[in-house]
Amino acid sequence: MRVREGNKEKAIIEAAIKVIAENGYYGAKIHKIAELAGVATGSIYSYYENKLQIIFAIFDNVWKELYEKLELVEQDAAISPSQKLEALIDLVFNLFTENQDLALVFAHEQNVLIRDYPDKFTPYFEKFIQTGQNIISQGIASGVFNPSVNVFILRKYLMGGISGCIQAWALDPSSYSLAEIRDQLKLLAHKGVNI
Amino acid sequence: MRVREGNKEKAIIEAAIKVIAENGYYGAKIHKIAELAGVATGSIYSYYENKLQIIFAIFDNVWKELYEKLELVEQDAAISPSQKLEALIDLVFNLFTENQDLALVFAHEQNVLIRDYPDKFTPYFEKFIQTGQNIISQGIASGVFNPSVNVFILRKYLMGGISGCIQAWALDPSSYSLAEIRDQLKLLAHKGVNI
DNA sequence: ATTAAATTTGAATAGTGGTTCAATATTCAC
DNA sequence: GTGAATATTGAACCACTATTCAAATTTAAT
């Protein structure tokens, strides 16, 4: 019996994030991913069924982690709705601050993947979004958020805005720090542009 | 001398918008676009240099039109900064309300195109964004917008939010009307979620 | 009607890259 | 050390599609 040499599965995922971040999903060639991961081209296929499953795995990891963390925040009655909304923004920004390539993959590929394979995309994303929606609803119920805000539209707006900012940052990280962007987002989400 | 049969250039662009909206840029096959446009495959290449130029032409049309309209609004001293910000949102929403396929192409393809070909993308987009930035700056100068708002980050946030909402709508137009989404966006951009 | 210039056609081409699989290598149990 | 089971390799395969181009078609001028 032979055993697997090391954590090739993880090496492949990490290589894939890097190659997809640089070239996009269609521009990311399997042989490039294999090369960067330090495995043979064919080995990819003993860990993942095909190219699509690799990017699905990337997003599954991301949203599973974010959902589980947000869930803990959402259930904590000691945290105010405003703080929970900020925690949501922090969670996303902290992850992408740690992994810039992942931020690019998120910003460029997720929407297209959801369009093309709505039923195959990780369910954790929808769970994360749903939890965010619950936080807004709590804020409205407790009288701190504006009840005329439509939570469904807000979630699309907020996620779109986060995505737009992260993407701009990832393309030119020198312009503004993610920390600054994060704080601006909190301001805009809470109070908008008006004084 | 033979003359060109009709407006094949326009037919090709319109077919391309439809096919790209349904299948994404990589999924949009030239022969499909040709078929829908009612021309032979080879004819595409007597109107456009290659596949890439077709989608570039789509975005050039979009942003030229939007920029020119926004420019008129921005220069009008009789319109308040708040109204100008709303006009920006209206312009984008009106165009995409008229052409749902165009909305999908915008939401799914633009970011990736800018990443892959930052220098080839239509300059009208940057001009439009710059004009939007000027509107915010005017609002800050005249004391109606919060001066601690970073206009560069705001523009990314707002465009991302608009894009996210339009995309969600285009994927499921029955959930909310674009008019409702547009009004929510105006509320959120101005006042955020707080009361 | 004839000619010439330009357009249109679509089958053939050529390059690409995801996937396969027969061969090789490695590990463990005995 | 031997054999069996599994992992790994990477060259070859093959499906796919953007692009080309020689032939056919159309139009207008004479």
Side-chain angles (χ1 to χ4, degrees), chain B residues 1-2 5 8 40 42-43 47:
Chain B
M1 266 265 285
R2 182 183 186 182
E5 288 172 12
K8 296 213 160 113
S43 293
Y47 287 90

Side-chain angles (χ1 to χ4, degrees), chain B residues 99-112:
Chain B
N99 193 338
Q100 189 169 334
D101 289 322
L102 196 57
L104 274 175
V105 175
F106 161 68
H108 287 139
E109 315 299 336
Q110 168 156 328
N111 288 337
V112 176

Side-chain angles (χ1 to χ4, degrees), chain A residues 109-137:
Chain A
E109 315 299 337
Q110 168 156 327
N111 288 337
V112 176
L113 266 186
I114 291 175
R115 175 199 56 191
D116 291 343
Y117 312 95
D119 301 328
K120 303 268 178 75
F121 197 77
T122 177
Y124 289 110
F125 175 62
E126 193 53 36
K127 288 183 164 198
F128 177 89
I129 292 291
Q130 188 57 52
T131 305
Q133 218 167 296
N134 293 344
I135 289 172
I136 303 298
S137 297

Side-chain angles (χ1 to χ4, degrees), chain A residues 1-3 26 28-30 41-42 45 50-51:
Chain A
M1 268 263 286
R2 182 183 185 181
V3 295
Y26 283 98
K29 310 305 175 191
I30 291 287
T41 304
Y45 291 86
N50 52 40
K51 191 180 173 185

Side-chain angles (χ1 to χ4, degrees), chain B residues 16-17 19-20 23-24 35 49 62 72-73 93 99 105 109 111 115 124 137 151 160-161 164-165 175 178 195:
Chain B
I17 290 171
V19 175
I20 294 172
N23 307 97
E35 189 182 33
E49 197 185 329
V62 167
L72 291 177
V73 171
F93 271 82
N99 193 338
V105 175
E109 315 299 336
N111 288 337
R115 175 198 56 191
Y124 289 109
S137 298
V151 290
C165 288
S175 56
L178 267 189
I195 290 182

Side-chain angles (χ1 to χ4, degrees), chain B residues 1 12 17 21 28 36 44 52 55 64 74 83 85 96 124 132 144-145 161 171-174 181 185:
Chain B
M1 266 265 285
I12 291 167
I17 290 171
L36 193 62
I44 301 273
L52 205 51
I55 196 164
K64 186 171 194 288
E74 192 254 335
Q83 286 172 320
L85 178 59
F96 291 140
Y124 289 109
V144 290
F145 292 163
L171 287 174
D172 180 15
S174 65
I181 295 173
L185 249 62

Side-chain angles (χ1 to χ4, degrees), chain B residues 103-127:
Chain B
L104 274 175
V105 175
F106 161 68
H108 287 139
E109 315 299 336
Q110 168 156 328
N111 288 337
V112 176
L113 267 187
I114 291 176
R115 175 198 56 191
D116 290 344
Y117 312 95
D119 302 328
K120 305 267 178 75
F121 197 78
T122 178
Y124 289 109
F125 174 62
E126 192 53 36
K127 287 182 163 198

